[in-house]
Amino acid sequence: MYIKQIIIQGFKSYKDQTVIEPFSPKHNVIVGRNGSGKSNFFAAIRFVLSDAYTQMGREERGALLHEGAGAAVMSAFVEIIFDNSDDRFPTGKNEVILRRTIGMKKDEYSLDRKNATKSDVMNLLESAGFSRSNPYYIVPQGRVTALTNMKDNERLILLKEVAGTQVYEARRTESLKIMTETNNKREKIDELLDYIKERLTELEEEKEELKDYQEKDKERRSLQYTIDHREQLAIASELENLEQQRQTGAEDAGDSEDRFRRGDKELESIQAEISELKQQVEFLKVDKKQLETERKENAKSKAKIELDVKNLTDGHSAAQHARNAYQSDLESLQNSIEQHEQELAEVTPQYNSSVQEEATVKGELESAEGTRQRLYAKQGRNARFRNKRERDDWLRAEINNTYPQLAKVKAVRVQTAEDITELEKEIADAEEAIANLREQLEGRGSNNEAFQAQIQEARAERDRLTDERKELWREDAKLDSVLSTASTELRQAEQELSHTMDQNTSRGLAAVRRIKRQHNLEGVYGTLAELFSVSDSFKRAVEVTAGQSLFHYVVDNDETATKIIEILQREKAGRITFMPLNRLRPKHVNLPNSDDAKPMVEKLQFDPMYEKAIQQVFGHTVICPNLQIAGQYARSHGVNGVTIDGDRSDKKGAFTGGFLDTRHSRLDAVRKVAKWRDESDALRIRSTEIKRTLEKKDQEITRAVGNLQKIEQKRVQQENSYGPLLHELRSKSNDLQNKKDTMDAKHRASAKIDANMKTLTDQQNAHEAEIASEFKKALTQAEETQLENLNSTVQDLRQKYSDLSSARTELESRKTILEIELRENLRPRLDQLQVQDFDDRTGTSGSRGSLKESQAELKRINKRISIAEAKLQELDTLLEKTTAQISELEARHLTTKTKLQEIAQAMEKSQKRTEKSIRIRRVLTQQAADVSNRIRDLGILPHGALEKHENLKSDAVVKKLHKVNEALKKYGHVNKKAFEQYNNFTTQRDSLRKRRGELESSQKSIEELIQVLDQRKDEAIERTFKQ
């Protein structure tokens, strides 16, 4: 080993990187002038290899850095490259590169270009002979004289230090120490193994006796478990019965309390209902007086119009006589037409059915004949062919010849179907046109009456709208009175509500509602009390829990709250606490949910969008049957407990309770204000709607008058609009008949085409089936049978077809006669009479107009009188009903008061029963806990412990348990842990044997290490002598 190369940079006088090489493996001499850097060169070597530069401070490190002109040097390094061909350094490499880098804040080593710790570097140097306790690898002045004066033993120690053998000796000493400790441990293990062997021998004898004991103990525990389990079931049954009784009692108590509260509420509302009914009676009396006045005026108008109607009726008697004669002829002709049309309607379906049935039978006949002919043809042609191939070739040729014919028939069928569809559409259009013309002809005489009726209807509409406007005027006047009463009630309710809060809050709430309306704020939802509902049974509990939070205002976000607060401050309009939903973060609490502790939130009904606000106030509260249970849950779950009577247990330990005056309820005040506010708002909306309806009604009356004038003008125009209708009707009727005849011909042609196509298709199918069959000279037995059946079938079908043809001919003849009679005789006569009727009506319409108008006016007046009388009767009924309701309410007041007294007594008895049940339940619960502890103390039971003694009676189980306990007394001296101890000693024996083997292996390794260390020490001394 020797130094091959040294690289220095930034160290003392070496600013730039300086590489110094080569070095001789033997001796090297450094010469130079003063200041050339000889001392700094040796200082650089000592900087890397010796301890002269350890534990340096910041200033000492800075002194080693180059301090010349130019840029300051921030770090320096010295790198020494050793030749390790003799493997002096135990790295396995021929070259070792050692570098030390220093800066103002760092001092690092690297070994073979990799970062290394100082201890790693020092250990490597120690192994190569650069021991910190051996300062002789760098010999300063004066050290040689001291070496010459040393004794022999001192020189031997020096030689070892120079050779670096102290490292090997230290390791050898340490290895010998470890080996001694290993021998001691092995001796102790041997002693333990001997002891364990003795104990295992003893435990083998105790195992059999312990086994008998365990069998008896299993039996004892099974019997004891059976007894305890039965006792546990009995206690559980009693607890369940008590729980059912408690639940029933709680439900009954809750029902009783609910009924008590409802009755109390009902007593409070009866007086309000009576006041409302009295006000209704006053309104009914006013309406009755107005209707009686209106009925008198209508009676006068009726008398006058009845006289006018009588005079007009006498003048029209003669005209009516002639009209009756015409009407008789017209009715006779119409009856005749109706009879012919009815008969034609009966004959036509029969005819169509007969035609369809005839076509069906004809198709069956042609199919049967075709099949029979094909069988005859097959029977005759089989003799012409010598084999199956000749027959199949001929059949395929026949099939191919059929395809063009079938395609042609299908094309004709499609064209015929299109012609039929087009004719059906044209016939439908023609029939619709003829029906319209007939309707016009039939109605041209009555159209004038229709116009007259429209005029009467328009007048009636005008009068109806006028009457409705009068009703609206009356309703508007009545609504103003009701709105005044509702506003008074609202002010009283708001005053009562303000008494339940401080003045600033009351002013603030009123201001917030006003600000919401003025600024049209959408995110202002209302006070917390307005956003949920709760049954009366939990009302007191909710009020106690919320307190003044009931009047906190819920808004959508903090921006809305800030805006309203700024307005309140600017207007000095009170003080309100807001609950912005975007800022609320209610903490989740693990609430109990048992029969005696229900979360209060579950008793509230609210919109899910307000859940955060509800949870913030009520989310930590449970409702309990009494204050004691509430206190228990407050301590165990960290929640607030409250009873339905309003007694409260805080989670911090405080109890609040006492008398609450339910007559001054905040929630009731809020509900009352909300009720009257909603009613007032509804009345105002209704009043506004009525005024708008009155405006619309005035416009409708104006439109009705204009519509009346338009109808009168149309009546004049239509009287001369019926010129060429009759001629057009006859022309279209003839054209329609021609199209129907054409369509019948097309249908017959279509039926023939379908028959031909079926024949060709059947022939193809028969040929293809014959191709698939075997070749035979004669028909098969099945074909012979089919041929015989077809002969008889054809004869029957021919006879049936003949009969159907005769029936169809008769129906066709009758149908043709009816159609000609209607078309050529009856309908032309009807058209002629209708023209005459129109002329007669036109001549007499003017004289009859006044009569009809008078009659219509009389009818309207009678209707008004009937309506007025009906309303008067209805008012009388309402007055009687309202009076009866007042009497009924007074009776209800007395009955409800009596029931409330009975309910109060029942509630007191129920409370006493509940307290007694709680005491019994507490005792049973303790007994159940004791039994559970006894069962738990039994430990793990053998399999089937309960089933084994399930069928034994309890007395037998107790006796058997006594016998087992007596038998167990004989095993009092038994080592009950023999099995466990035996297993533990066996495990320890295996573990110690394994450990002993490891120690022997370790000892061998240490002995090998000592041999290696001795060898390396000798090599190091020998190498030192050689050098």
Side-chain angles (χ1 to χ4, degrees), residues 119-347:
S119 60
D120 292 339
V121 173
M122 291 299 134
N123 289 334
L124 181 65
L125 292 174
E126 288 258 352
S127 64
F130 297 96
S131 176
R132 281 174 286 182
S133 60
N134 176 18
Y136 303 105
Y137 56 87
I138 297 177
V139 183
Q141 293 177 354
R143 183 67 61 84
V144 177
T145 303
L147 292 175
T148 58
N149 295 326
M150 285 184 177
K151 297 178 181 180
D152 293 338
N153 58 345
E154 292 176 349
R155 288 192 184 95
L156 178 60
I157 295 172
L158 174 62
L159 181 62
K160 290 181 179 181
E161 290 178 353
V162 172
T165 60
Q166 288 184 349
V167 176
Y168 301 113
E169 290 182 352
R171 291 185 180 179
R172 188 177 189 280
T173 303
E174 184 179 357
S175 299
L176 290 173
K177 182 180 179 182
I178 294 173
M179 189 166 63
T180 303
E181 293 176 354
T182 302
N183 290 329
N184 294 334
K185 290 180 181 178
R186 189 169 56 183
E187 291 175 358
K188 290 181 179 179
I189 289 173
D190 292 337
E191 292 176 1
L192 288 173
L193 286 173
D194 293 338
Y195 171 73
I196 289 172
K197 185 176 180 180
E198 293 176 1
R199 287 295 297 149
L200 288 175
T201 303
E202 295 174 359
L203 290 172
E204 281 287 349
E205 298 173 357
E206 296 177 358
K207 280 172 58 178
E208 293 300 326
E209 190 176 10
L210 178 61
K211 186 175 181 180
D212 296 337
Y213 170 79
Q214 287 179 341
E215 291 296 329
K216 295 292 183 180
D217 187 64
K218 287 181 181 179
E219 182 71 12
R220 180 191 65 79
R221 288 188 289 124
S222 298
L223 293 169
Q224 186 65 47
Y225 174 74
T226 302
I227 295 172
D228 292 341
H229 181 68
R230 291 180 181 180
E231 184 178 358
Q232 190 179 41
L233 292 177
I235 293 173
S237 177
E238 293 182 12
L239 285 173
E240 185 177 357
N241 293 334
L242 287 175
E243 181 64 20
Q244 291 179 355
Q245 294 175 5
R246 190 190 68 78
Q247 290 180 356
T248 304
E251 292 175 358
D252 294 341
D255 294 339
S256 298
E257 190 165 356
D258 290 341
R259 286 188 286 117
F260 186 86
R261 290 196 179 97
R262 288 196 299 270
D264 193 22
K265 191 70 175 179
E266 185 178 359
L267 290 176
E268 295 177 0
S269 63
I270 284 176
Q271 188 61 40
E273 292 182 18
I274 291 175
S275 301
E276 185 178 352
L277 290 173
K278 288 182 178 180
Q279 185 180 14
Q280 185 178 354
V281 167
E282 294 299 325
F283 291 149
L284 292 174
K285 289 181 179 179
V286 172
D287 290 343
K288 183 177 180 181
K289 185 176 180 180
Q290 292 177 351
L291 287 172
E292 287 177 347
T293 303
E294 183 177 350
R295 184 178 62 176
K296 291 178 182 179
E297 293 177 354
N298 288 330
K300 293 179 182 179
S301 301
K302 179 181 177 182
K304 180 179 178 181
I305 292 175
E306 284 179 345
L307 181 62
D308 295 339
V309 169
K310 185 175 181 304
N311 294 332
L312 290 171
T313 303
D314 294 339
H316 289 83
S317 298
Q320 187 65 32
H321 181 72
R323 174 68 180 167
N324 291 337
Y326 159 77
Q327 191 68 29
S328 177
D329 295 339
L330 181 63
E331 290 178 358
S332 176
L333 182 59
Q334 288 176 342
N335 290 334
S336 179
I337 291 173
E338 184 178 358
Q339 291 176 359
H340 281 71
E341 288 178 344
Q342 184 175 0
E343 186 176 358
L344 181 61
E346 294 175 356
V347 170

Side-chain angles (χ1 to χ4, degrees), residues 73-126:
V73 175
M74 302 304 296
S75 66
F77 73 86
V78 177
E79 182 176 290
I80 301 176
I81 301 175
F82 292 93
D83 181 281
N84 192 36
S85 56
D86 58 353
D87 201 21
R88 184 74 173 270
F89 289 103
T91 59
K93 298 180 180 179
N94 293 327
E95 188 177 80
V96 175
I97 303 172
L98 184 61
R99 172 187 285 199
R100 183 178 182 183
T101 305
I102 193 171
M104 298 299 293
K105 295 183 179 181
K106 67 179 180 178
D107 187 358
E108 300 174 346
Y109 287 87
S110 67
L111 184 62
D112 291 336
R113 312 294 185 190
K114 296 180 181 179
N115 290 334
T117 63
K118 182 179 180 181
S119 60
D120 292 339
V121 173
M122 291 299 134
N123 289 334
L124 181 65
L125 292 174
E126 288 258 352

Side-chain angles (χ1 to χ4, degrees), residues 46-58:
R46 295 177 66 192
F47 172 69
V48 177
L49 300 180
S50 72
D51 290 338
Y53 296 94
T54 58
Q55 303 296 329
M56 293 184 295
R58 181 183 179 91

